[in-house]
Structures are given as structure tokens and as C-alpha cells.
Amino acid sequence: MKEKNCLLEADIATLFKTLNAQFKKPYDYLCIYRWAQHILVLPSEHPLLPLYLQIFFHLYFASLIIDDKSIMYGHLLFNRKQDLLYRLRDRVAYLQTYYGRHQIPTIIQTEKANGSIKSGKSTDSTGDKAGTGHDENLRQLLYAMWLWIGDLDLLNADFDIISLPHHYCIDRLQSCRKPSTLEDKEAHQPWNSMDSLWIDMVNQNDLKDSFLHFPWEGAEKFFKGYVPDIPFVDNRSIYNQDLYRMTLATASTALQPPPLLSPVYTSPPPLKKEIAATTHEELLGSVIEDICHHATLLQKHSAHQSDLDTSYIDHITRLYINTPNTKTIKVACSNPPQKVCKGPAEIEISILSVDMDQEIKQKLMKNRELSKKSTIDSIDPSICFKILTGKRRISDLTDYYSEIDKEDKEEIERCIRLGWSCLNYALDNLENTIGFFPPSELFLRQLSMLVSKLIIHEPLYARKILDRMKGNEKIVSTLYAAFLPNSDPEHMLYYYQCVSDTSVFNSQSQSYLLPAFDMSVWSRTVYSTKEAQALFYQCAFSSIKYWMISMLDQEEVTVHEKICHHHYRLVVELMTVLLSRQLEKTEHFIVLGHIKALLNTTRNIAQAEKFGQVLIDILAENLGYSSGEVSDLLSDKVDDGLLQQDSFVY
């Protein structure tokens, strides 16, 4: 560790020598560290925060032209202060979330007005510096800065940033990375010109009020009769309550201070007809775009990490090498025969020594260093914000749907179509991210749950969703909440047969979809005929038999038992409802017949036999009999003909 620190010191010393810089104090006094510390402690609502960040990134991406070659040196100053850089990146992520919360209530109107829903581009905040427009523009810039710190390609002076997506705020990034010569290095800095500063990102109204209201000594003589407004102290104020009292004391007014304002930010009301008149791109366009962008970044990082690991394994097998060596041993004569010895005996020995290849060792150390830098140890908070934003918009749509007059069929149909198109739009764009990017899976599940409120009484969509999920476990895991087979009782038996088909849906998919069926509801419809009921029993027990036999695979026993329970639950539901409506109470004999045939088929399978007892226990509990009595009826102790008699009283 000591050698590493000395090496880093030498690197910085070499850097200063190259730049012809004279610096007698320790390197900890460099101004780039001071700017970073200021950003860490600066209040989130401080008007000058964007300028502090601008100056830091100008220093971080500082570039000099030496011998006709651009050299970026600012980031080298953080070789010994990686922790400070990580803290700064976390701070930028927090600030992005902070300003995102302030622009939630009117985000849809803002995006419509700026025309940035589809493009996602930042908008000019000149005309809206104090409101939501300023907050949104600053949030987008903070998001770009978060990307800047984490993208190692930007530290290469030859990297072409024009190819980057617009999320990077390329124009501002380009101004930070603009190279200069040793002669005009100082003149190139942004603080030397007002035109170079990002004044458009500063909330100038807040800056003016903060200056006029600050209780600095002797301020009264500069007012010249001007009585400053008594400021409210809200959650966004950069001053605490003590400063608030000091402001009142220095202001030339005798008015009593009003009570402190404690605003409560509540959810905006649904947008009524406005939200139903939008499209799926207007509602979810920017949300989907950001999720896809972050998923691409994660995929890129994962691929890079995989390449590093592969390279590491390849190099570590060549770390140790066998080096051939030859050694000569001389042995003097101690008692030569006849006193004759011309010289000592020489023995030549060939050996192989195991040595460490220093070049390979250096490559391995560099590999692990790069691996550590490319590791993603936390999720970007902006993703959570975006998911909440998308969820809120669809939630507003469902709330509006619940308020529509049931006679307004056209408006109801428009809401349903919009919800369905939003679900399809999200699935089309995020399907490839399912499996490796959890936020997209979470968003799709939440979206499915909300859309299910719109299509719960629409038979048409049950088949559409089932067709979309066929043969794809990843889509099943995200859309299962929107699968409502009971909304289409006419075809529910078809849905059940399709879900039970193991060639279409595997065990995991069936465990997601089977809980959606409710046979007690279906049994009360006109489609629950004797023929349909018999077909259901046949399908259910065929599926139970298949999964009981499959329990031979010990690794899948738990999943298979779960599926069997789901099928049997549906059987018991239907049997219970039908028994309650029958005068002669014979429905349970049909179920007993199926159970007996099932147990005879799976008699020699230990796991299946164990589960067969579970079936008997559940049936006995629902019939009000003991498990022994049901077992006797199913065994040879009782004649099969009893299955046709009313032996049980339910």
C-alpha cells in the first residue's frame, strides 16, 4: 500500500512538472477538492449550485494541448481520492431526485408544453426559472453529470462525445472538455467571463431574494426606504429558522411575522378528459426511454465486467512459469586413491524453478482495478422516480375511469384502449430487458396491476393477454396480474385447458397463472353446464396426475406440489358450490371417483403417494368427515358401488 501511494504521489508530481506548475503546499489544498467539498455541503436549493458544479467539472475534465496532443489531467487528481469522487456522485444522484420531486405535480403539463415527451430533450428555462421548468432542466443536467462521473470513456481526450445520446447534455459537456494551451489556460476558465457561466441554470429570482434578505450587518442603509418582503420558510428554503428571525429583526418594518408556512405537497387531481385524450407515447414515452437507457448502460457494464473476468482467468493461468536453470557443484577430493587428484569433481545439475511473471502480474492488478471501477454497487435513484412517474400517470387514468358515467360508453372504451396500448407499448420496448434489469420488471408488473382495473369487465382482453404470454415465462412473470379469465366466462374453460398444457406453459408459468381462476364464480354462470364441469374435472385430474408423476425430479418437487394444490383447489371450489345447490348431494362422488383412479395410477410413486394423502385430507375437511373414512371408501374395504350412493351427508 505504501508503494502504491508513493507511485500516485510520483504521478501527481510528474503531472505538475509537465504543466510547469509551482505548488509548495500539500496536494490536499488543490482547489478542485475544495469545490467538491462545497458541493457536498451546499444546501440542495442554493441558487448557485449549478455554477459550483460547472466549475468542478471544468476542473475535472481539464485538458491541455502539449506537443499538438490533448492531455486530460483533472481526473488524475482523484487517483488517491476515489472515495471523495464516489461521495460526489452519490450527492449528484440525490440532487437529481430532489429536483425531480419538486416537478412531479405538473410534469405532464410541462412535458406537453415543452414538447419533450417524445424526444426527452431538455428545454430552455429562461421563461420559467422559478417554477417547474427550471427544476426539470436542472434535474436533467444533474442526471447528465451523474453519467459524466461514471463514464470512463469521457476521460479519454480522443473520445468523440458527439456520438453520445442527448441525456449527456453534450453541449455543456463539450464546454467542460474544451482543451487549452499553457498560455491561455487561466483565461479559458469559466469564472473569467459571464458569458461562459451557466447563468441560465441559476434561479435568479431566488438568488436576488436570498441576497436582499440575508441579515448581513449594515444592510439597512442600502435599502433606502425599500422594505424587503418577509420571506416564508418552507421546505425549499436554504436558511433555517434562526436566520429567519434575524431577517425579521434587520428588516425596517414593525409588522409581526406571520406563522411559519408548512406546505403539504399532495398528489394532483386526475387530469380528467385531458389524460384520456393523450397517447401511450405521451404518457410513457420519456419513462420508457430512460428505463431503456439505464438498461443499456447496465448491459454495457455487465459485458465489460464479463470481458475483464474472462481476461483475468486467462492471465492467471499463465502467471507462474517454469524457468530452466543449470547449476554446477564442485566436490573436492578428501582422500584420493594413491594420493593422485588433478582437481575437484564437478557435477552439473539442471533444474526447473517456478517463477512469477511480473508482466502478467501487472496485467492482473490492472484488470482488478478496472473491474472495481466498472462495478455498479447501487441503483440510480432517478429510475425509481421515473417508475413512480409512469405508475402515477396510469393510476390517474384508472382513477378517471372509475369516475366516468357508466352510460358514457365511448369515454369508457377510450380509457380501456389507452390503458391497453400503454401496456403493449411498455412490453414491446422493455421485453428485452426482462431478466437482467429488475426495475423494468417491477414497472411492467405495476403497470399490469393498474391496467387490470380497466379490463376487468372486458372479455376480449383475456384472450389477448393469454396469447401474448404463450410460451414465454419472462412475459408471464410480468403480465400475470392482468390475466383475468373470469372476465370471459364463456371461454374460461378454454383458458384453463391452455394454461394447463405443459407444452405451452412450463411449471413456473402455471404457478403464476392458475391462481387467477375462480371456479366458484364460473359455476354460477350459464356456461357451467354438466358437460363443461365434467370436462373441467377431467382436465384438472389429468394435470394433477402429470405433475404427481413428475415429482420424481426431486429438485422440482416443491413447484410441482404447488401446481397440484392450485388444480385441486379449483376442483374443491367447484365441488363445494355445486354441493350447496344439489338436493341429493352427489357431486363429491364424482370427485372421489377421479381421486381413486388417480391414486391407482400413481400407487408406486413415493412422492405421489404422499401427496395423495394430502388430497384425501383436504377432501375430508371440506366434506366434514375424517381422513380415515374417506380412505376406507377409496380402498377395497368398501365396494366401488358405494361411490354411487349418498354415503356422505354434507
Side-chain angles (χ1 to χ4, degrees), residues 42 236 261 459 478 513 562 602:
L42 203 65
R236 299 176 54 150
L261 178 63
T478 56
L513 298 177
K562 183 178 180 181
T602 59

Side-chain angles (χ1 to χ4, degrees), residues 467-500:
D467 292 340
R468 190 71 191 261
M469 295 188 297
K470 281 184 178 179
N472 195 325
E473 182 185 334
K474 294 194 301 183
I475 297 182
V476 171
S477 66
T478 56
L479 289 190
Y480 68 91
F483 179 56
L484 305 170
N486 282 94
S487 63
D488 186 8
E490 182 179 0
H491 302 99
M492 199 186 79
L493 190 56
Y494 161 76
Y495 300 147
Y496 179 71
Q497 291 174 316
C498 187
V499 170
S500 302

Side-chain angles (χ1 to χ4, degrees), residues 284-537:
L284 300 180
S286 61
V287 177
I288 300 297
E289 187 177 8
D290 274 14
I291 294 178
C292 288
H293 175 65
H294 281 79
T296 303
L297 287 179
L298 178 62
Q299 197 171 30
K300 179 181 176 182
H301 277 282
S302 300
H304 181 56
Q305 187 73 45
S306 178
D307 292 340
L308 289 173
D309 292 341
T310 302
S311 176
Y312 182 82
I313 296 298
D314 178 60
H315 282 87
I316 204 171
T317 58
R318 295 183 282 115
L319 178 60
Y320 295 97
I321 56 177
N322 294 324
T323 305
N325 291 305
T326 303
K327 187 174 182 179
T328 302
I329 301 176
K330 294 183 178 182
V331 181
C333 299
S334 59
N335 189 16
Q338 300 177 356
K339 305 293 184 178
V340 178
C341 180
K342 295 181 179 180
E346 293 185 357
I347 302 174
E348 190 175 273
I349 301 176
S350 297
I351 61 174
L352 289 176
S353 60
V354 179
D355 298 321
M356 183 181 294
D357 190 326
Q358 295 300 319
E359 183 180 353
I360 296 293
K361 180 181 177 181
Q362 292 297 325
K363 289 182 178 180
L364 289 173
M365 293 176 62
K366 185 177 180 180
N367 180 288
R368 290 302 88 188
E369 183 179 347
L370 292 174
S371 177
K372 183 178 179 181
K373 289 181 179 179
S374 65
T375 300
I376 299 178
D377 55 1
S378 61
I379 190 172
D380 182 4
S382 66
I383 284 294
C384 302
F385 165 74
K386 277 296 183 180
I387 289 177
L388 289 174
T389 301
K391 178 183 175 183
R392 181 169 190 163
R393 294 175 182 178
I394 304 303
S395 180
D396 287 344
L397 176 64
T398 58
D399 290 344
Y400 172 57
Y401 171 80
S402 64
E403 297 176 1
I404 301 176
D405 186 358
K406 301 308 176 185
E407 299 299 325
D408 193 350
K409 302 296 184 182
E410 182 178 351
E411 190 70 5
I412 290 176
E413 182 62 26
R414 184 164 66 163
C415 287
I416 294 174
R417 285 199 306 269
L418 178 58
W420 175 249
S421 64
C422 285
L423 183 59
N424 271 301
Y425 174 68
L427 191 59
D428 290 340
N429 287 275
L430 300 180
E431 181 177 355
N432 293 331
T433 67
I434 301 174
F436 77 91
F437 194 57
S440 64
E441 298 180 36
L442 174 64
F443 178 65
L444 286 172
R445 286 197 186 102
Q446 296 288 334
L447 192 58
S448 299
M449 293 175 64
L450 291 170
V451 172
S452 66
K453 299 179 181 180
L454 301 174
I455 62 176
I456 189 170
H457 300 300
E458 300 297 322
L460 176 66
Y461 293 96
R463 184 182 291 269
K464 288 184 177 182
I465 291 178
L466 186 65
D467 292 340
R468 190 71 191 261
M469 295 188 297
K470 281 184 178 179
N472 195 325
E473 182 185 334
K474 294 194 301 183
I475 297 182
V476 171
S477 66
T478 56
L479 289 190
Y480 68 91
F483 179 56
L484 305 170
N486 282 94
S487 63
D488 186 8
E490 182 179 0
H491 302 99
M492 199 186 79
L493 190 56
Y494 161 76
Y495 300 147
Y496 179 71
Q497 291 174 316
C498 187
V499 170
S500 302
D501 188 349
T502 55
S503 65
V504 180
F505 294 100
N506 60 16
S507 57
Q508 290 293 342
S509 298
Q510 289 195 25
S511 65
Y512 279 118
L513 298 177
L514 286 173
F517 292 90
D518 190 339
M519 301 311 296
S520 62
V521 174
W522 177 75
S523 66
R524 295 179 174 88
T525 65
V526 295
Y527 305 103
S528 177
T529 61
K530 279 291 183 183
E531 293 77 10
Q533 295 164 11
L535 186 58
F536 164 74
Y537 284 135

Side-chain angles (χ1 to χ4, degrees), residues 63-115:
S63 176
L64 277 179
I65 300 177
I66 301 177
D67 297 333
D68 297 329
K69 183 178 180 181
S70 295
I71 300 176
M72 301 188 70
Y73 62 88
H75 65 280
L76 297 177
L77 301 174
F78 286 89
N79 282 344
R80 294 186 300 114
K81 293 185 175 291
Q82 286 293 312
D83 181 64
L84 177 60
L85 194 62
Y86 293 151
R87 288 165 54 203
L88 184 67
R89 191 168 188 246
D90 291 340
R91 176 63 176 170
V92 172
Y94 166 78
L95 292 171
Q96 180 200 357
T97 305
Y98 177 83
Y99 280 95
R101 288 199 304 264
H102 283 261
Q103 55 95 26
I104 283 180
T106 55
I107 189 169
I108 296 180
Q109 298 95 320
T110 302
E111 289 186 347
K112 280 186 177 181
N114 294 335

Side-chain angles (χ1 to χ4, degrees), residues 12-137:
I12 297 178
T14 303
L15 173 64
F16 273 75
K17 185 177 180 180
T18 304
L19 300 179
N20 195 23
Q22 302 296 327
F23 198 73
K24 297 181 180 180
K25 293 184 178 181
Y27 298 125
D28 289 339
Y29 284 83
L30 290 172
C31 66
I32 190 172
Y33 303 143
R34 304 295 297 273
W35 284 109
Q37 291 290 349
H38 279 312
I39 294 170
L40 290 176
V41 301
L42 203 65
S44 303
E45 270 294 323
H46 199 290
L48 296 180
L49 176 64
L51 302 187
Y52 278 58
L53 289 164
Q54 179 192 9
I55 293 174
F56 170 80
F57 281 105
H58 264 271
L59 297 173
Y60 182 71
F61 290 121
S63 176
L64 277 179
I65 300 177
I66 301 177
D67 297 333
D68 297 329
K69 183 178 180 181
S70 295
I71 300 176
M72 301 188 70
Y73 62 88
H75 65 280
L76 297 177
L77 301 174
F78 286 89
N79 282 344
R80 294 186 300 114
K81 293 185 175 291
Q82 286 293 312
D83 181 64
L84 177 60
L85 194 62
Y86 293 151
R87 288 165 54 203
L88 184 67
R89 191 168 188 246
D90 291 340
R91 176 63 176 170
V92 172
Y94 166 78
L95 292 171
Q96 180 200 357
T97 305
Y98 177 83
Y99 280 95
R101 288 199 304 264
H102 283 261
Q103 55 95 26
I104 283 180
T106 55
I107 189 169
I108 296 180
Q109 298 95 320
T110 302
E111 289 186 347
K112 280 186 177 181
N114 294 335
S116 61
I117 291 177
K118 296 181 182 180
S119 64
K121 297 180 180 178
S122 60
T123 55
D124 185 14
S125 61
T126 305
D128 191 19
K129 290 178 180 169
T132 303
H134 172 268
D135 290 345
E136 172 61 12
N137 292 336

